[in-house]
């Protein structure tokens, strides 16, 4: 099942669960994958930036991807394949595509600056991994230090047929979505799925601007699914109420550096993974921060029983 | 009235109001300054990053500072004096101190990297502008690309007597506040006022970690004052409810690039300034973005009547 | 005398001479300006990055520009006008153009990333300072962190009529010059003068690629003039011998941070300025570094008597 | 044979030779390794930044390291092991140490900023790969965007016993070497070998400042060896003459982006590798650039017969 231009809904970014000793926790992989399916996810992304991909050896990365792909066989699974060189990128891509991945997600290296350089890079990537492999472009300037203007994105998607989706986490990015959709309506750009990251902190208005869903690892993916459902069924203000109830925690989890620690802590508290352990180098959650997360959950539980832990 | 180590509360970052033709709007300067005083501000910062300081000619900058300093004579007024060279920095500092400013705020140039370079820079600044002038250190790595660790900040404040306050907008920064306060309790660092920026998006937990208040330009400074009052009188959860009601708008206004346009738009809608005009180069608010702000205000008004406009 | 598309030859970047107490040294301004004229300079740039412009107050900057413009009345004088906001940029531009400047040099702010942002910025600059003012685009990614591809530069120069010259200091940049000249030969770009910076370290091959001359502050501008003369009269290998003799010193002076100290030291040793003093913040020349410069001069003097000091 | 504090001389950075079809060229690996030994190299570094390490799959990287380690059994061989995560770093390190490597070279990730972060990172690295593995610290801010002050380096080397050598390519860096050596003479820092990179462009004065040799891939490593020999035997000016003769080419090869293409081209022209091919993504050498390199070689050959090709 390859990624198509019809992709939409919630594609959670899956964490890589570890046991306290750093070993990969395969039981938790199954448990959280099942949860993603049950709550209505329409796709899944593994080995993303916050999937601690760089901390896995190659064979481990393939094993994690393989397990998630088989377990979530009913939905498309994207595999993060960003790498400093094309050899490793191609090697991982080939293996996971053979295992049934729906495509790969690739962010630009932080040495790129000009439109020309970025465009050339994605042309080279498509050639290197094979033009039959759907590519998700990760547009996250805050982390990758590469900025892609709407007109550059249009050119990239028009020239390179295998670019299949935009993971949008530019900031600010609302007008960027509007511009891309205007291009589409004007007929100068094909339709592409735009799924949004940044922990969903702007998902409310991103959807209003024309995004197709979320592609983020927020610790309540079930809320993201319900939020989209409510919107789709016309209950926009109820959706917004739900979203706003989660915003204090979303904001807290979005903090760079400690965000993943927050996310894994809540997923553990929800019983979805066994341990919040990260492999090093890692941000850690101080005792005070843990208390703050519990405070956020208690307050959230008043409005959303899922947070009653 | 010079800035002292007792500073606390809300020091709004004042915008520079312009008329639609780009001229400085002196009537609005008086109006918004009066509002800051009425709502309980304990200080004021003018010509900050979002005060469009770089777009003012020298004489204009002095005039704006002068007007605000006289109008807000009962509270300390800090003047932004960040500059690429010491000549302009000293010139502006001397003029505004003579006019009654309480101190100046200085951010590090983005060429600094090592602890040694940053420490030397602030030593040189203190010498250049005069060691009798209180300095607010603006710690905003996301914009200035300079990171100061807690131990470096301790060394800076211990070695340089005229450093008088920390404007904290590091991200993530909660543990940073805790560490600085631990230094103080251990006796290895003198007490310094820590006032928080970043549009107040973490103000709730920043206060819990030991911050002394807010130093930001959020469009409802009166909410910030009330939030601190409620906390001080022990109504921590009520304070949090108020804060959470504003969080959707706080988040929206915190967007880099368009944040100032949002802020000026709401201040105008509140009648505090006459026009939302910015001087160029400027981020602009699209029609859709304006609608989104109105939507945020309408939703906020259900919980906070101040937003009923 | 405005800058035209016929500009070529050597436009030295003039230092701002200070006395040991930091006062501007007007006698040295006259002396070095006369030297530039005598040795065959075809233009002059003042208040550039290494002219310590940010360390001058506005009135000082205007005074320095005024003195050099009147003294060098027979050749076009470019004034550096890079500024964080348009108000200061326009103010300085208007004053120096009224005093007879030939144009202004403007580098992009380091917040720009995409082609679109850079293009828009220069459109706004041209509007802000007046489309009758010739602009030199300073293309120096190593310092300004903004990269302009050849195709972007073509678009900028085609769309904005007042862009009058490219100060080329991209690195590596030889193929960039070739590409721009290819555009010109193909008819897709008008002719623009390309003058090269980076202390001239690639001037030999830059000229071969189609550059029109040098726009740099190397401490032997007379060598740069002779080098171009030799090339023009067909003595390319003799020119190269002269250039290679200077290369050890050129390389030494090109070091970021200490380069200006080296330059001012040699200019002082040559009797062209009275003191090597810089205003703070400044790189300094250690005693060992001074010895190294003397060693470089002694070795150079074996091949070029101008270095016999 | 582990790297010790007595390391000195020339440690060439070996390129990874490829055939035109991108396959690893094992014959050339033997040939160039033999050449390094014959010309007097005292060590060797493989899989460095310019060894195209990120373009090799893991198994390939190990194979290249293995072949060079066995072939150069008489001298210490350092293996580049910089990686975004500790899993891959440890895996490669363990394998190559078992194969007889003398140590690994590790550059800091570009996300590090403060002294504290950098120090912690190297502590974690030493723990992760084993404190028995000698580590070469690559100090190359221009590429890695991490600046380490002399006092930080002292602290790192004093606290972490397995740091065994500094690959110095800070720029400007002469005073840095002097400061580190001053620390040593004062007794506040143990002796560490400092070998210099940056294509050797400052090797002359770096040696005078107290460096122990070169650790760079300049296409004439035999010249670097002769240069050090001449210096050691007291012929400092003859050494300098030799160095200056090479400086035009050294400068040309030092260009970022195209430097490796120049280096491989000359090594091919010298018969040391069969093809100048690089794996993608790669900088390429235009026809004009190739002509320029030939011009540089012809001119160099007048003074150094090794360049007569």
């Amino acid at each position: 099942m390859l990624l198509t231009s019809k992709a939409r809904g919630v594609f959670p970014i899956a964490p890589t669960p570890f046991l306290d000793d750093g070993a990969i926790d395969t039981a938790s992989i199954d448990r959280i994958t099942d949860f993603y399916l049950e709550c209505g996810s329409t796709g899944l992304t593994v080995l993303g930036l916050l999937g601690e991909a760089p901390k896995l050896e190659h064979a481990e990365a393939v094993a994690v991807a393989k397990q998630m792909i088989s377990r979530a066989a009913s939905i498309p699974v994207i595999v993060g394949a960003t790498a400093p060189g094309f050899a490793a990128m191609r090697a991982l891509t080939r293996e996971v595509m053979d295992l049934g991945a729906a495509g790969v997600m690739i962010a630009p290296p932080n040495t790129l600056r000009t439109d020309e350089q970025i465009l050339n890079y994605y042309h080279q990537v498509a050639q290197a991994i094979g033009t039959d492999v759907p590519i998700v472009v990760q547009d996250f300037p805050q982390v990758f230090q590469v900025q892609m203007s709407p007109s550059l994105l249009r050119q990239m998607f028009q020239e390179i047929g295998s670019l299949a989706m935009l993971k949008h986490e530019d900031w600010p990015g609302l007008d960027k979505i509007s511009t891309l959709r205007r291009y589409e309506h004007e007929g100068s750009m094909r339709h592409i799925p735009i799924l949004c990251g940044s922990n969903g902190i702007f998902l409310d208005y991103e959807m209003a601007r024309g995004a197709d869903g979320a592609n983020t690892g927020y610790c309540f993916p079930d809320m993201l699914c319900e939020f989209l459902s409510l919107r789709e069924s016309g209950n926009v203000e109820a959706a917004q109420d739900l979203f706003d109830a989660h915003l204090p925690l979303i904001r807290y989890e979005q903090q760079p550096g400690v965000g993943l620690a927050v996310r894994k802590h809540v997923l553990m508290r929800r019983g979805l993974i066994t341990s919040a352990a990260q492999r090093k180098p890692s941000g850690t959650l101080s005792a005070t921060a843990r208390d703050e997360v519990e405070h956020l959950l208690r307050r959230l539980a008043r409005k959303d029983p899922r947070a009653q832990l």
Side-chain angles (χ1 to χ4, degrees), chain A:
Chain A
M1 182 183 0
L2 295 182
L3 189 65
T4 74
S5 65
K6 297 194 174 4
R8 55 202 305 277
V10 177
F11 280 52
I13 303 284
T16 301
F18 298 108
L19 296 172
D20 287 344
D21 64 1
I24 291 172
D25 175 4
T26 54
S28 290
I29 291 179
D30 279 351
R31 196 154 71 248
I32 199 167
T33 307
D34 291 348
F35 175 77
Y36 290 141
L37 290 168
E38 285 156 22
C39 74
S41 304
T42 49
L44 195 57
T45 300
V46 303
L47 304 180
L49 188 64
L50 292 185
E52 299 179 69
K55 303 176 191 169
L56 302 182
E57 299 195 23
H58 178 76
E60 292 178 321
V62 172
V64 167
K66 181 179 181 178
Q67 188 180 348
M68 290 215 170
I69 291 168
S70 354
R71 194 82 182 185
S74 59
I75 56 174
V77 178
I78 309 293
V79 180
T82 300
F86 288 163
M89 186 188 293
R90 180 172 36 218
L92 180 62
T93 298
R94 280 295 149 202
E95 286 188 76
V96 299
M97 293 307 293
D98 286 349
L99 292 168
V104 294
M105 179 165 69
I106 302 202
N110 68 4
T111 47
L112 303 180
R113 280 290 168 273
T114 69
D115 288 10
E116 206 169 288
Q117 290 168 344
I118 300 166
L119 180 65
N120 286 345
Y121 182 76
Y122 277 98
H123 270 294
Q124 287 185 309
V125 164
Q127 286 302 322
I129 65 173
T131 54
D132 53 327
V133 179
I135 297 170
V136 177
V137 175
Q138 187 171 14
D139 181 13
F140 197 1
Q142 206 187 339
V143 163
F144 298 112
Q145 301 171 31
V146 175
Q147 286 189 28
M148 310 187 221
S149 64
S151 61
L152 171 63
L153 284 168
R154 172 171 56 180
Q155 193 179 359
M156 288 165 54
F157 277 89
Q158 293 300 96
E159 289 188 13
I160 308 170
S162 56
L163 299 188
M165 182 169 121
L166 179 66
K167 178 172 187 197
H168 169 75
E169 27 199 351
D170 196 354
W171 195 41
L174 296 175
D175 283 345
K176 191 174 205 170
I177 297 174
S178 296
T179 304
L180 292 172
R181 289 316 185 204
R182 181 167 54 75
Y183 290 159
E184 185 184 337
H185 298 146
E186 288 169 3
S188 68
M189 183 176 179
R190 61 178 163 108
H191 174 75
I192 57 161
I194 301 177
L195 271 68
C196 301
S198 296
N199 211 37
I201 197 164
F202 282 102
L203 187 60
D204 46 354
Y205 293 110
E206 286 165 339
M207 291 307 295
R209 296 293 188 115
D212 297 297
N215 188 197
T216 187
Y218 177 53
C219 56
F220 284 88
D222 34 351
M223 181 284 280
L224 299 176
C225 291
E226 189 187 348
F227 171 71
L228 294 193
S229 278
L230 282 168
R231 280 186 61 88
E232 211 151 291
S233 58
N235 296 310
V236 175
E237 290 300 304
Q240 189 74 51
D241 289 341
L242 176 64
F243 182 87
D244 285 357
H246 278 263
L247 192 53
L249 179 56
I250 288 175
R251 158 210 63 162
Y252 197 93
E253 187 178 313
Q254 198 216 1
Q255 291 178 86
V258 300
L260 178 59
V262 175
R263 181 176 294 175
K264 282 194 147 184
H265 176 75
V266 178
L267 291 173
M268 181 193 66
R269 291 279 285 108
R270 298 189 72 188
L272 297 172
I273 60 176
T274 298
S275 161
Q278 293 176 52
R279 284 196 179 165
K280 289 189 177 173
S282 65
T284 51
L285 216 54
S286 66
T288 311
R290 260 198 308 274
D291 290 347
E292 289 166 346
V293 174
E294 295 298 328
H295 179 243
L296 285 158
L297 288 170
R298 276 197 308 279
R299 286 183 54 87
L300 175 57
R302 301 182 314 182
K303 294 179 183 163
D304 186 336
R306 280 176 290 231
Q308 213 138 21
L309 301 175

